[in-house]
Amino acid sequence: QVQLVESGGGLVQPGGSLRLSCVVSGLTFSLYNLSWFRQAPGRERELVALIAYTGHITQYTDSVKGRFTISRNNAKNTVYLQMNSLKVEDTAVYYCKARSRWGNTDYWGKGTLVTVAS
């Protein structure tokens, strides 16, 4: 019954901002590391950002550092990705993923499309 549902994607102009959300159900949210991945056309899926189950440690791919911020709200079972100064190269389907602090089973959402274009 685990579900991850992303939202917040859409069309935005270069330099604009979007905030993605991923609502998670069916697991003990506070015990899971959460991450955002993206997959652009013709590209392999890549890790964008990760936030540890503690909420105190974050990790970003170099291309988004200083522009994207990952956060989580355990009371709402939601992980966010704030995306600022968006570039055309950020265009992709964005997926959220949950992984237990102790396990190796990954749970994926179905993705939300972000299109950066003028």
Side-chain angles (χ1 to χ4, degrees):
Q1 71 271 24
V2 174
Q3 286 188 311
L4 288 74
V5 181
E6 302 98 333
S7 63
L11 175 65
V12 64
Q13 294 183 348
S17 298
L18 281 176
R19 183 182 178 92
L20 306 183
S21 300
C22 177
V23 179
V24 182
S25 61
L27 52 76
T28 305
F29 185 82
S30 62
L31 300 181
Y32 280 72
N33 298 327
L34 280 301
S35 58
W36 287 95
F37 286 73
R38 68 185 180 188
Q39 188 165 23
R43 303 280 300 278
E44 294 187 350
R45 189 172 299 186
E46 66 172 344
L47 175 66
V48 177
L50 181 146
I51 184 166
Y53 74 97
T54 64
H56 300 307
I57 301 174
T58 58
Q59 185 176 352
Y60 301 91
T61 190
D62 287 342
S63 64
V64 307
K65 286 184 177 178
R67 300 189 298 120
F68 291 11
T69 303
I70 188 171
S71 62
R72 64 192 294 164
N73 186 328
N74 286 359
K76 296 182 177 180
N77 281 18
T78 302
V79 60
Y80 305 94
L81 185 67
Q82 178 67 47
M83 305 185 295
N84 299 325
S85 301
L86 282 162
K87 304 175 181 179
V88 173
E89 64 192 83
D90 295 319
T91 296
V93 177
Y94 284 72
Y95 302 87
C96 64
K97 187 192 77 174
R99 177 187 291 174
S100 171
R101 59 186 289 193
W102 293 299
N104 289 315
T105 299
D106 294 335
Y107 298 97
W108 291 88
K110 294 185 177 181
T112 184
L113 176 63
V114 173
T115 303
V116 184
S118 59

